[in-house]
Amino acid sequence: MRPPLNVREFEEVARDRLHPAHYDYFAGGAGDETTVRANEAAFARLALLPRVLRGAGEPRTGVTLLGDRAAMPVLVAPTAFHRLADPEGEKATARAAAAAGTIMIVSMASTVAVEDVATAAPEATLWFQLYVQPDMAFTERIVRRAEAAGCTALVVTVDSPGRGRRERDLRNGFDDLPEGMCCENLRDGDRVRPIVMSPDISWRHIDLLRRMTELPVALKGVVRPADACRALDHGVSALFVSNHGGRQLDTLPATADLLPGIVAAVGGAVPVLLDGGVRRGVDVVKAMALGASAVAVGRPVLWGLAAEGERGVARVLGLLREEVERALVLCGAASAHDLDPELVRPC
Ligand SMILES: Cc1cc2nc3c(=O)[nH]c(=O)nc-3n(C[C@H](O)[C@H](O)[C@H](O)COP(=O)(O)O)c2cc1C
Ligand SMILES: CC(C)CC(=O)C(=O)O
């Protein structure tokens, strides 16, 4: 069989290899999946207007985020349950991220403990994604584990005061991990706690977290400019414009459409990242032209992992990097920083 040439082809291979209920869990979203589709469609609606004769030379794709260097402006978004895609699970993903020189955000709902992810990929730069648990003593134990494992930032997901209704999962009866797998970061003594998505979590908890740890705290899931400004008042170090890949509240706008408003509100005070619908290098360039400091990819990494394990993730990240480089060259840009909103226009 011909090797997949792009993220979409990786998805086809992954779909063939995965249990249908697991494919649906990865691919699906909330409600009518309006937002899932909108994320990709928004990038397709933006056209690129390259500059000519710039003599820009070979492009540089590296970025520095919260003090960590990444060789490309594409991070691994936090996604749950990697062992559904490959027996090595998050260990394979972390090794591939390290090989690609990028940052992996380990999900709190990973099926390999964060300590074991770090041990398996000592070269990897890991950030840890957290759902603040209402039991703050338990939250603190998780934070301490992430710190001790060497994670260098906390990414707090704030779009989940409850669970999105995912009808594919309901139809498939997919409501738990198979025997022998669990959310290893939720172990607490001799039990594994369920993840609580609580409507009681508020800005007060962000203040508590900031006092709890020296790690920089990023918020993932901010979609309103006013909330972005509020986040700055609470000492947050970075923001992710994210609608959770359309998996929480359906009918949120596409992240590419939300990005300019958040970038304007933040005014360069902290890095703004975007996730949702990034499938091509040109999508990365469009997001960065609109002011993102970097992007993160969720499903593309899962497609690589399901298709070919660690090698598949490395291939997906490598393809995206090559596509970003090519897009920068063709836009006449010397680096990902050499982009501005005039490069894109609605089509
Ligand atoms: C299967 C799956 C599991 C996810 N698990 C988490 C998670 O544990 N924590 C989190 O903050 N976001 C989670 N997300 C959301 C991603 O971090 C990210 O926002 C989203 O996937 C970006 O969209 P994309 O898949 O189009 O790249 C998950 C997404 C998928 C597809
Ligand atoms: C286990 C879930 C909490 C992971 C998640 O955030 C998701 O499936 O979108």
Side-chain angles (χ1 to χ4, degrees), residues 247-265:
R247 298 164 67 84
Q248 286 296 94
L249 180 64
D250 194 24
T251 76
L252 259 78
T255 48
D257 292 334
L258 291 166
L259 178 65
I262 303 288
V263 167

Side-chain angles (χ1 to χ4, degrees), residues 25 78-81 107 109 129 131 157 160 163 166 169 183 195 197 220 244 247-248:
Y25 167 67
T79 54
F81 304 170
S107 168
Q129 177 266 326
Y131 290 111
T157 301
S160 302
R163 277 177 200 266
R166 314 219 178 125
D169 295 346
C183 292
I195 291 182
M197 292 186 171
K220 172 171 177 284
H244 212 110
R247 298 164 67 84
Q248 286 296 94

Side-chain angles (χ1 to χ4, degrees), residues 66 127 132 153-158 202-211 213-222 226-241 262 266 268-273:
L66 304 179
W127 294 357
V132 174
L154 283 183
V155 177
V156 181
T157 301
V158 293
S202 69
W203 292 103
R204 184 176 70 81
H205 294 84
I206 303 303
D207 295 338
L208 290 173
L209 262 185
R210 291 250 301 108
R211 286 200 284 277
T213 181
E214 301 279 298
L215 294 181
V217 171
L219 299 189
K220 172 171 177 284
V222 174
D227 279 342
C229 293
R230 194 148 184 206
L232 298 183
D233 295 340
H234 286 263
V236 157
S237 300
L239 293 174
F240 283 74
V241 178
I262 303 288
V266 166
V270 298
V272 175
L273 293 88

Side-chain angles (χ1 to χ4, degrees), residues 169-327:
D169 295 346
L170 293 172
R171 204 166 293 115
N172 294 325
F174 179 71
D175 57 4
D176 209 354
L177 285 166
E179 257 317 287
M181 283 183 214
C182 68
C183 292
E184 294 289 347
N185 300 322
L186 277 288
R187 278 193 193 278
D188 193 29
D190 54 8
R191 67 183 173 132
V192 179
R193 295 218 201 182
I195 291 182
V196 179
M197 292 186 171
S198 168
D200 295 332
I201 303 304
S202 69
W203 292 103
R204 184 176 70 81
H205 294 84
I206 303 303
D207 295 338
L208 290 173
L209 262 185
R210 291 250 301 108
R211 286 200 284 277
M212 188 186 283
T213 181
E214 301 279 298
L215 294 181
V217 171
L219 299 189
K220 172 171 177 284
V222 174
V223 294
R224 282 178 171 250
D227 279 342
C229 293
R230 194 148 184 206
L232 298 183
D233 295 340
H234 286 263
V236 157
S237 300
L239 293 174
F240 283 74
V241 178
S242 171
N243 51 34
H244 212 110
R247 298 164 67 84
Q248 286 296 94
L249 180 64
D250 194 24
T251 76
L252 259 78
T255 48
D257 292 334
L258 291 166
L259 178 65
I262 303 288
V263 167
V266 166
V270 298
V272 175
L273 293 88
L274 167 145
D275 71 40
V278 174
R279 300 293 178 266
R280 286 287 194 183
V282 284
D283 301 337
V284 180
V285 165
K286 288 171 190 177
M288 294 188 76
L290 293 173
S293 297
V295 304
V297 287
R299 294 177 183 90
V301 167
L302 295 168
W303 306 147
L305 188 64
E308 296 176 20
E310 176 183 336
R311 197 168 63 114
V313 178
R315 283 255 297 134
V316 163
L317 294 173
L319 281 171
L320 286 171
R321 179 174 176 167
E322 254 179 65
E323 289 186 3
V324 171
E325 281 171 355
R326 194 179 300 272

Side-chain angles (χ1 to χ4, degrees), residues 6 15 20 135 220 228 256 347:
N6 56 48
R15 184 180 198 149
D135 175 346
K220 172 171 177 284
C347 62

Side-chain angles (χ1 to χ4, degrees), residues 24-84:
D24 272 347
Y25 167 67
F26 289 153
D32 292 319
E33 301 186 347
T34 308
T35 298
V36 177
R37 289 187 297 278
N39 280 341
E40 288 191 36
F43 282 112
R45 263 195 288 104
L46 293 173
L48 283 170
L49 278 178
R51 294 188 171 87
V52 297
L53 296 173
R54 298 209 56 224
E58 290 302 315
R60 295 179 305 278
T61 55
V63 288
T64 301
L65 299 160
L66 304 179
D68 285 325
R69 191 77 193 144
M72 61 198 254
V74 182
L75 279 56
V76 175
T79 54
F81 304 170
H82 288 201
R83 284 182 62 209
L84 292 179

